Amino acid sequence: MTHTLSLADAADLNRTPIDITGVLDRLVHEADATATTSIGFPGAVDLDHSDVITRLGIRLWNNIGDPADPGGVAHTRVLERAVVTWVADTLSMPAHDRWGYVTTGGTEGNLSALHAAYRRHPSARVYYSTAAHYSIPKIVRMLGVQGVIVNALPDGEMDYGHLAMQVRRRRRWPAIVVATAGTTMTEAVDDTTRIRAILDEHGVEAHVHVDAALSGIPLALDGRLRLDDSAGIGSIAISGHKFLGVPTPCGVVLIRDSLRKPVDHVPYINTGDTTVTGSRCGLAAALLWHAIATHGREGHRWRATQARRLAAYATDQLTAIGWPAWRHPHAFTVVMPTPPKQVCKKWLLASDGDTSHIICAPGISTGQIDAFVADLAAAAPPPKIPRPRSASEPHVSTCPA
Ligand SMILES: Cc1ncc(COP(=O)(O)O)c(C=O)c1O
């Protein structure tokens, strides 16, 4: 099909007439055309959400106000509460000390949690690593708090020695530390036990927040990410459109209830103003609920196992053609030197300078990996770059800076 107009021109609302169906179809066509080569992003593509879209997608579901609010009409708060409970249970968060809601995504989850921490500790310094998501420094600026940057190691994990040094210098002030469970580029997981130990050693009043947008659900299903009493973690933000593949941006934030300060009551909606936005997407809560209800914990564990197997396969195939790829053992993400231009033109990878990654999110197939590896093998001789060290390995001086 050839189009005489660009999509932007066809969509121009000042045109008459506008080919509305044509514009919508072209959007779908363009998204479909790039789906096979889109292997750089973490959205799972294996789940079928059409049941919810067909039944609920044609009307407004507004979960305005606190998720516990039973009032109002045309909302999905009952499903939202079920989602929050499931995620909190999966994280072993104590039932008597948890609160949370369905957000617009990882950024809002981080904002909600860091705002709650800031309200308790207004003079706190907020520590985050250079591998933290860009939403963290943005939120630090929005809250008007003092941020402290901590180095990350080449594999993306926080440099705990540097954190200790930064905390030591500022021990007079409370600390809000953002750990990441699945950094955006390498899917590194910061060790909250080591972070907590550093904070305790320096006698600093602290709140530890985990930005688990990428890896929260898979790590919680493994039992490797827990928010029980011994964890010393105050809050967590998780994304809903990544591992659960929900076809609209969304997420879940969870905060220890005992760490929250009272909020204003809003008379005309008769609820507490507990959430970042007022009106909230009830469809997202229903989609999350459906994704969880359809597969259950075992189903989602299986999906995570399959994705990790594919990531291990991809790493092996890349290594076999001499391309220095590596991954963290828990990760879906395979990190490699940025491929030559012609490969990046065809394959939608995520690249940060000379480092790129693919993400073997559930739904990515062996065939896609094989085709990518074949293109790479045909394109150029591999660069000679060693795998970076991890936080638990001794320092190796040949690491890229
Ligand atoms: C670690 C991490 N935190 C936060 C976010 C932000 O999530 P969102 O784009 O849903 O706001 C992302 C998104 O990629 C992420 O990888």
Side-chain angles (χ1 to χ4, degrees):
M1 203 187 329
T2 51
H3 297 280
T4 49
L5 286 176
S6 72
L7 182 55
D9 285 338
D12 183 351
L13 292 171
N14 291 317
R15 284 189 79 77
T16 43
I18 303 176
D19 178 8
I20 296 172
T21 314
V23 167
L24 299 180
D25 285 347
R26 273 177 73 180
L27 275 177
V28 173
H29 175 78
E30 288 192 5
D32 283 350
T34 52
T36 316
T37 51
S38 183
I39 54 172
F41 302 96
V45 288
D46 60 328
L47 301 187
D48 179 2
H49 306 274
S50 51
D51 246 13
V52 183
I53 300 292
T54 317
R55 289 184 163 81
L56 307 192
I58 48 166
R59 53 189 293 179
L60 176 66
W61 303 92
N62 189 341
N63 289 6
I64 189 165
D66 190 273
D69 179 9
V73 290
H75 58 78
T76 65
R77 280 194 222 101
V78 64
L79 304 186
E80 179 177 19
R81 288 192 289 273
V83 168
V84 167
T85 300
W86 186 87
V87 177
D89 287 347
T90 307
L91 286 160
S92 307
M93 206 172 177
H96 65 275
D97 192 11
R98 55 164 79 156
W99 176 86
Y101 72 97
V102 170
T103 62
T104 52
T107 300
E108 184 184 338
N110 287 333
L111 175 58
S112 172
L114 292 177
H115 183 237
Y118 162 69
R119 292 185 76 217
R120 265 189 93 225
H121 305 289
S123 62
R125 281 21 185 178
V126 181
Y127 300 78
Y128 58 93
S129 92
T130 48
H133 186 257
Y134 67 87
S135 60
I136 303 300
K138 177 167 63 183
I139 292 164
V140 163
R141 287 191 297 273
M142 285 166 81
L143 294 176
V145 290
Q146 280 207 30
V148 181
I149 297 174
V150 177
N151 292 339
L153 297 171
D155 74 349
E157 189 169 347
M158 186 178 277
D159 179 338
Y160 307 106
H162 192 232
L163 173 69
M165 195 185 87
Q166 295 286 50
V167 170
R168 195 172 311 124
R169 286 186 184 156
R170 299 166 181 84
R171 59 204 305 172
R172 303 171 42 201
W173 292 285
I176 298 171
V177 181
V178 180
T180 309
T183 58
T184 313
M185 276 313 286
T186 69
E187 211 177 321
V189 177
D190 294 334
D191 183 341
T192 51
T193 307
R194 288 180 78 172
I195 292 172
R196 215 47 261 187
I198 290 165
L199 295 166
D200 293 347
E201 190 188 312
H202 291 86
V204 190
E205 224 191 320
H207 178 111
V208 176
H209 169 67
V210 182
D211 175 0
L214 184 58
S215 307
I217 303 266
L219 292 178
L221 288 166
D222 293 343
R224 276 188 266 188
L225 180 57
R226 296 169 66 85
L227 264 71
D228 57 11
D229 282 328
S230 64
I233 298 170
S235 53
I236 188 164
I238 286 172
S239 175
H241 52 280
K242 295 189 170 88
F243 180 68
L244 293 176
V246 167
T248 187
C250 64
V252 174
V253 63
L254 288 161
I255 305 173
R256 295 291 287 234
D257 202 24
S258 55
L259 303 181
R260 295 166 63 232
K261 288 240 192 186
V263 294
D264 293 338
H265 182 82
V266 186
Y268 88 96
I269 51 168
N270 194 27
T271 181
D273 185 16
T274 53
T275 54
V276 172
T277 64
S279 291
R280 298 187 303 106
C281 183
L283 183 63
L287 286 161
L288 281 169
W289 177 86
H290 179 262
I292 293 167
T294 311
H295 298 273
R297 278 197 187 85
E298 276 317 307
H300 288 299
R301 260 187 212 117
W302 182 85
R303 294 177 63 237
T305 303
Q306 294 302 105
R308 287 180 182 133
R309 274 198 192 132
L310 186 65
Y313 173 80
T315 311
D316 289 348
Q317 296 306 301
L318 287 162
T319 311
I321 61 160
W323 203 267
W326 62 274
R327 63 185 270 271
H328 291 284
H330 61 269
F332 305 166
T333 304
V334 180
V335 187
M336 69 195 83
T338 296
K341 271 200 191 79
Q342 68 268 35
V343 175
C344 292
K345 211 167 153 209
K346 172 173 173 188
W347 293 90
L348 302 175
L349 313 176
S351 300
D352 183 1
D354 55 9
T355 303
S356 294
H357 73 215
I358 60 171
I359 302 190
C360 296
I364 299 293
S365 68
T366 313
Q368 283 168 281
I369 299 301
D370 289 344
F372 170 67
V373 173
D375 282 351
L376 201 50
K384 298 209 174 350
I385 299 174
R387 176 197 177 284
R389 74 188 168 111
S390 75
S392 52
E393 288 169 357
H395 191 92
V396 181
S397 59
T398 49
C399 290

